[in-house]
Short mmCIF file of all heavy atoms in Angstrom, two decimals:
data_model
loop_
_atom_site.label_atom_id
_atom_site.label_comp_id
_atom_site.label_asym_id
_atom_site.label_seq_id
_atom_site.Cartn_x
_atom_site.Cartn_y
_atom_site.Cartn_z
N ILE M 27 0.83 -1.21 0.00
CA ILE M 27 -0.01 -0.01 -0.02
C ILE M 27 0.87 1.29 0.01
O ILE M 27 0.60 2.17 -0.82
CB ILE M 27 -1.06 -0.03 1.15
CG1 ILE M 27 -2.01 -1.21 0.96
CG2 ILE M 27 -1.80 1.30 1.19
CD1 ILE M 27 -2.76 -1.22 -0.35
N PRO M 28 1.87 1.39 0.84
CA PRO M 28 2.72 2.60 0.76
C PRO M 28 3.37 2.73 -0.63
O PRO M 28 3.41 3.85 -1.18
CB PRO M 28 3.75 2.41 1.85
CG PRO M 28 3.18 1.46 2.76
CD PRO M 28 2.27 0.57 1.99
N PHE M 29 3.79 1.64 -1.21
CA PHE M 29 4.43 1.67 -2.54
C PHE M 29 3.45 2.14 -3.59
O PHE M 29 3.75 2.99 -4.42
CB PHE M 29 5.06 0.34 -2.92
CG PHE M 29 5.92 0.39 -4.12
CD1 PHE M 29 7.15 1.00 -4.08
CD2 PHE M 29 5.48 -0.17 -5.32
CE1 PHE M 29 7.94 1.07 -5.20
CE2 PHE M 29 6.28 -0.09 -6.46
CZ PHE M 29 7.50 0.52 -6.41
N ILE M 30 2.23 1.58 -3.55
CA ILE M 30 1.19 1.99 -4.52
C ILE M 30 0.86 3.47 -4.34
O ILE M 30 0.70 4.23 -5.30
CB ILE M 30 -0.08 1.13 -4.38
CG1 ILE M 30 0.22 -0.30 -4.88
CG2 ILE M 30 -1.24 1.71 -5.17
CD1 ILE M 30 -0.88 -1.29 -4.59
N MET M 31 0.80 3.95 -3.08
CA MET M 31 0.49 5.35 -2.83
C MET M 31 1.59 6.24 -3.38
O MET M 31 1.27 7.28 -4.02
CB MET M 31 0.24 5.56 -1.36
CG MET M 31 -1.07 4.91 -0.88
SD MET M 31 -1.42 5.14 0.86
CE MET M 31 -2.10 6.78 0.78
N ILE M 32 2.84 5.91 -3.17
CA ILE M 32 3.95 6.73 -3.72
C ILE M 32 3.93 6.73 -5.22
O ILE M 32 4.07 7.76 -5.89
CB ILE M 32 5.31 6.23 -3.15
CG1 ILE M 32 5.39 6.52 -1.66
CG2 ILE M 32 6.48 6.89 -3.89
CD1 ILE M 32 5.32 7.97 -1.24
N ARG M 33 3.75 5.55 -5.82
CA ARG M 33 3.69 5.47 -7.28
C ARG M 33 2.49 6.22 -7.83
O ARG M 33 2.54 6.78 -8.92
CB ARG M 33 3.68 4.00 -7.75
CG ARG M 33 4.95 3.20 -7.50
CD ARG M 33 6.22 3.84 -8.05
NE ARG M 33 6.16 4.06 -9.49
CZ ARG M 33 7.07 4.65 -10.21
NH1 ARG M 33 8.19 5.11 -9.62
NH2 ARG M 33 6.95 4.78 -11.51
N SER M 34 1.41 6.24 -7.08
CA SER M 34 0.24 7.00 -7.48
C SER M 34 0.60 8.48 -7.55
O SER M 34 0.31 9.13 -8.57
CB SER M 34 -0.88 6.83 -6.44
OG SER M 34 -1.32 5.52 -6.42
N ALA M 35 1.23 8.98 -6.56
CA ALA M 35 1.65 10.39 -6.55
C ALA M 35 2.60 10.69 -7.69
O ALA M 35 2.47 11.72 -8.40
CB ALA M 35 2.27 10.78 -5.22
N LEU M 36 3.57 9.81 -7.91
CA LEU M 36 4.53 10.02 -9.00
C LEU M 36 3.83 10.04 -10.37
O LEU M 36 4.32 10.67 -11.29
CB LEU M 36 5.63 8.97 -8.98
CG LEU M 36 6.61 9.09 -7.80
CD1 LEU M 36 7.44 7.82 -7.68
CD2 LEU M 36 7.49 10.32 -7.97
N ASN M 37 2.75 9.27 -10.48
CA ASN M 37 2.01 9.19 -11.75
C ASN M 37 0.81 10.14 -11.80
O ASN M 37 -0.02 10.04 -12.67
CB ASN M 37 1.55 7.74 -11.99
CG ASN M 37 2.67 6.86 -12.51
OD1 ASN M 37 3.00 6.90 -13.69
ND2 ASN M 37 3.27 6.08 -11.63
N LYS M 38 0.70 11.03 -10.79
CA LYS M 38 -0.37 12.03 -10.74
C LYS M 38 -1.77 11.36 -10.66
O LYS M 38 -2.69 11.86 -11.29
CB LYS M 38 -0.28 12.98 -11.91
CG LYS M 38 1.08 13.60 -12.15
CD LYS M 38 1.38 14.66 -11.12
CE LYS M 38 2.66 15.42 -11.43
NZ LYS M 38 3.81 15.07 -10.68
N VAL M 39 -1.87 10.31 -9.90
CA VAL M 39 -3.13 9.62 -9.67
C VAL M 39 -3.43 9.70 -8.21
O VAL M 39 -2.63 9.31 -7.34
CB VAL M 39 -3.10 8.15 -10.09
CG1 VAL M 39 -4.42 7.45 -9.80
CG2 VAL M 39 -2.75 8.02 -11.59
N LYS M 40 -4.59 10.30 -7.85
CA LYS M 40 -4.93 10.46 -6.46
C LYS M 40 -5.58 9.18 -5.89
O LYS M 40 -6.51 8.67 -6.49
CB LYS M 40 -5.90 11.64 -6.24
CG LYS M 40 -6.19 11.94 -4.77
CD LYS M 40 -6.78 13.28 -4.58
CE LYS M 40 -7.08 13.58 -3.17
NZ LYS M 40 -5.96 14.00 -2.40
N PRO M 41 -5.05 8.64 -4.77
CA PRO M 41 -5.71 7.45 -4.16
C PRO M 41 -7.14 7.74 -3.76
O PRO M 41 -7.45 8.87 -3.36
CB PRO M 41 -4.83 7.18 -2.93
CG PRO M 41 -3.48 7.77 -3.27
CD PRO M 41 -3.86 9.00 -4.08
N SER M 42 -7.98 6.76 -3.92
CA SER M 42 -9.41 6.91 -3.59
C SER M 42 -9.68 6.62 -2.11
O SER M 42 -10.77 6.97 -1.60
CB SER M 42 -10.27 6.02 -4.45
OG SER M 42 -9.93 4.68 -4.28
N ARG M 43 -8.77 5.90 -1.46
CA ARG M 43 -8.96 5.47 -0.06
C ARG M 43 -7.64 5.57 0.71
O ARG M 43 -6.60 5.48 0.08
CB ARG M 43 -9.44 4.02 0.01
CG ARG M 43 -10.71 3.66 -0.70
CD ARG M 43 -11.98 3.84 0.06
NE ARG M 43 -12.05 3.06 1.31
CZ ARG M 43 -12.52 1.84 1.41
NH1 ARG M 43 -12.88 1.16 0.34
NH2 ARG M 43 -12.61 1.25 2.55
N ASN M 44 -7.76 5.67 2.00
CA ASN M 44 -6.57 5.60 2.84
C ASN M 44 -6.61 4.28 3.57
O ASN M 44 -7.35 4.14 4.53
CB ASN M 44 -6.52 6.75 3.84
CG ASN M 44 -5.31 6.66 4.73
OD1 ASN M 44 -4.37 5.89 4.51
ND2 ASN M 44 -5.28 7.49 5.77
N PHE M 45 -5.78 3.35 3.14
CA PHE M 45 -5.75 2.02 3.80
C PHE M 45 -4.55 1.99 4.80
O PHE M 45 -4.25 0.91 5.31
CB PHE M 45 -5.51 0.92 2.75
CG PHE M 45 -6.70 0.75 1.86
CD1 PHE M 45 -6.66 1.00 0.52
CD2 PHE M 45 -7.91 0.30 2.38
CE1 PHE M 45 -7.74 0.81 -0.30
CE2 PHE M 45 -9.03 0.12 1.57
CZ PHE M 45 -8.94 0.37 0.22
N MET M 46 -4.00 3.15 5.11
CA MET M 46 -2.87 3.18 6.05
C MET M 46 -3.30 3.83 7.38
O MET M 46 -2.45 4.35 8.13
CB MET M 46 -1.69 3.99 5.46
CG MET M 46 -1.06 3.31 4.26
SD MET M 46 -0.42 1.68 4.63
CE MET M 46 0.85 2.10 5.78
N GLY M 47 -4.57 3.76 7.72
CA GLY M 47 -5.05 4.32 8.98
C GLY M 47 -4.46 3.60 10.18
O GLY M 47 -3.40 3.03 10.13
N ASN M 48 -5.23 3.60 11.25
CA ASN M 48 -4.76 2.97 12.53
C ASN M 48 -4.32 1.55 12.26
O ASN M 48 -5.08 0.70 11.75
CB ASN M 48 -5.95 3.01 13.50
CG ASN M 48 -5.63 2.42 14.84
OD1 ASN M 48 -4.72 1.54 14.98
ND2 ASN M 48 -6.28 2.90 15.87
N ARG M 49 -3.09 1.27 12.65
CA ARG M 49 -2.49 -0.06 12.43
C ARG M 49 -3.32 -1.21 13.01
O ARG M 49 -3.33 -2.32 12.48
CB ARG M 49 -1.08 -0.01 13.06
CG ARG M 49 -0.35 -1.33 12.96
CD ARG M 49 1.02 -1.20 13.61
NE ARG M 49 1.74 -2.45 13.49
CZ ARG M 49 2.80 -2.75 14.18
NH1 ARG M 49 3.28 -1.87 15.04
NH2 ARG M 49 3.44 -3.87 13.96
N PHE M 50 -3.97 -0.99 14.11
CA PHE M 50 -4.70 -2.03 14.83
C PHE M 50 -6.16 -2.15 14.43
O PHE M 50 -6.86 -2.97 14.93
CB PHE M 50 -4.56 -1.85 16.34
CG PHE M 50 -3.13 -1.77 16.77
CD1 PHE M 50 -2.52 -0.54 17.08
CD2 PHE M 50 -2.36 -2.91 16.83
CE1 PHE M 50 -1.20 -0.47 17.45
CE2 PHE M 50 -1.01 -2.85 17.18
CZ PHE M 50 -0.42 -1.63 17.50
N ASP M 51 -6.61 -1.32 13.52
CA ASP M 51 -8.01 -1.32 13.05
C ASP M 51 -8.09 -2.14 11.74
O ASP M 51 -7.50 -1.74 10.74
CB ASP M 51 -8.47 0.09 12.83
CG ASP M 51 -9.93 0.19 12.39
OD1 ASP M 51 -10.59 -0.84 12.26
OD2 ASP M 51 -10.39 1.35 12.21
N THR M 52 -8.82 -3.24 11.79
CA THR M 52 -8.94 -4.12 10.60
C THR M 52 -10.26 -3.86 9.85
O THR M 52 -10.63 -4.65 9.02
CB THR M 52 -8.87 -5.59 11.01
OG1 THR M 52 -9.89 -5.87 11.98
CG2 THR M 52 -7.49 -5.93 11.60
N MET M 53 -10.90 -2.74 10.13
CA MET M 53 -12.17 -2.43 9.46
C MET M 53 -11.98 -2.30 7.92
O MET M 53 -12.78 -2.78 7.16
CB MET M 53 -12.77 -1.13 10.03
CG MET M 53 -14.03 -0.71 9.37
SD MET M 53 -15.44 -1.79 9.80
CE MET M 53 -15.75 -1.29 11.46
N PHE M 54 -10.90 -1.63 7.49
CA PHE M 54 -10.72 -1.35 6.07
C PHE M 54 -9.49 -2.04 5.44
O PHE M 54 -9.42 -2.14 4.23
CB PHE M 54 -10.61 0.17 5.82
CG PHE M 54 -11.81 0.89 6.32
CD1 PHE M 54 -11.74 1.79 7.35
CD2 PHE M 54 -13.06 0.72 5.72
CE1 PHE M 54 -12.86 2.45 7.83
CE2 PHE M 54 -14.18 1.37 6.17
CZ PHE M 54 -14.07 2.25 7.22
N HIS M 55 -8.57 -2.48 6.28
CA HIS M 55 -7.35 -3.14 5.76
C HIS M 55 -6.92 -4.21 6.74
O HIS M 55 -6.61 -3.92 7.89
CB HIS M 55 -6.25 -2.10 5.56
CG HIS M 55 -4.97 -2.65 5.03
ND1 HIS M 55 -3.86 -1.90 4.94
CD2 HIS M 55 -4.63 -3.87 4.57
CE1 HIS M 55 -2.89 -2.64 4.42
NE2 HIS M 55 -3.32 -3.82 4.21
N ILE M 56 -6.90 -5.46 6.28
CA ILE M 56 -6.40 -6.55 7.06
C ILE M 56 -5.09 -6.98 6.42
O ILE M 56 -5.05 -7.47 5.31
CB ILE M 56 -7.37 -7.73 7.08
CG1 ILE M 56 -8.72 -7.30 7.72
CG2 ILE M 56 -6.78 -8.92 7.80
CD1 ILE M 56 -9.83 -8.32 7.56
N ASP M 57 -4.02 -6.77 7.16
CA ASP M 57 -2.69 -7.20 6.71
C ASP M 57 -2.43 -8.52 7.45
O ASP M 57 -2.19 -8.52 8.66
CB ASP M 57 -1.63 -6.15 7.06
CG ASP M 57 -0.24 -6.55 6.60
OD1 ASP M 57 0.05 -7.77 6.41
OD2 ASP M 57 0.62 -5.66 6.38
N LEU M 58 -2.44 -9.63 6.72
CA LEU M 58 -2.30 -10.91 7.33
C LEU M 58 -0.93 -11.13 8.01
O LEU M 58 -0.85 -11.86 9.01
CB LEU M 58 -2.57 -12.05 6.37
CG LEU M 58 -4.05 -12.13 5.91
CD1 LEU M 58 -4.22 -13.18 4.83
CD2 LEU M 58 -4.94 -12.45 7.08
N LEU M 59 0.09 -10.51 7.52
CA LEU M 59 1.40 -10.63 8.19
C LEU M 59 1.32 -9.98 9.58
O LEU M 59 1.83 -10.55 10.55
CB LEU M 59 2.51 -10.01 7.37
CG LEU M 59 3.91 -10.12 7.99
CD1 LEU M 59 4.28 -11.59 8.25
CD2 LEU M 59 4.95 -9.48 7.07
N GLU M 60 0.65 -8.86 9.67
CA GLU M 60 0.42 -8.23 10.99
C GLU M 60 -0.38 -9.18 11.90
O GLU M 60 -0.09 -9.33 13.07
CB GLU M 60 -0.30 -6.91 10.84
CG GLU M 60 0.51 -5.84 10.12
CD GLU M 60 1.20 -4.93 11.07
OE1 GLU M 60 0.53 -4.25 11.87
OE2 GLU M 60 2.44 -4.90 11.03
N GLN M 61 -1.39 -9.80 11.32
CA GLN M 61 -2.30 -10.66 12.12
C GLN M 61 -1.60 -11.93 12.61
O GLN M 61 -1.70 -12.30 13.76
CB GLN M 61 -3.56 -10.99 11.35
CG GLN M 61 -4.40 -9.77 10.99
CD GLN M 61 -4.72 -8.95 12.22
OE1 GLN M 61 -5.21 -9.44 13.21
NE2 GLN M 61 -4.48 -7.64 12.10
#
């Protein structure tokens, strides 16, 4: 997700969502390595 967000900015594409919110909140992003 951070890489896609940086590449988005470099390509002038605005992300539609923020999946980098609170690390412990799995409401919008579940990172299985974290889990």
Side-chain angles (χ1 to χ4, degrees):
I27 298 303
F29 190 72
I30 291 171
M31 292 180 80
I32 293 297
R33 292 306 301 177
S34 296
L36 289 168
N37 282 280
K38 310 286 189 257
V39 177
K40 186 164 179 80
S42 61
R43 301 272 301 273
N44 178 11
F45 292 115
M46 293 302 295
N48 182 333
R49 177 181 184 194
F50 304 103
D51 182 359
T52 58
M53 179 71 73
F54 302 113
H55 181 187
I56 299 169
D57 182 337
L58 291 175
L59 182 56
E60 293 264 300
Q61 297 306 310

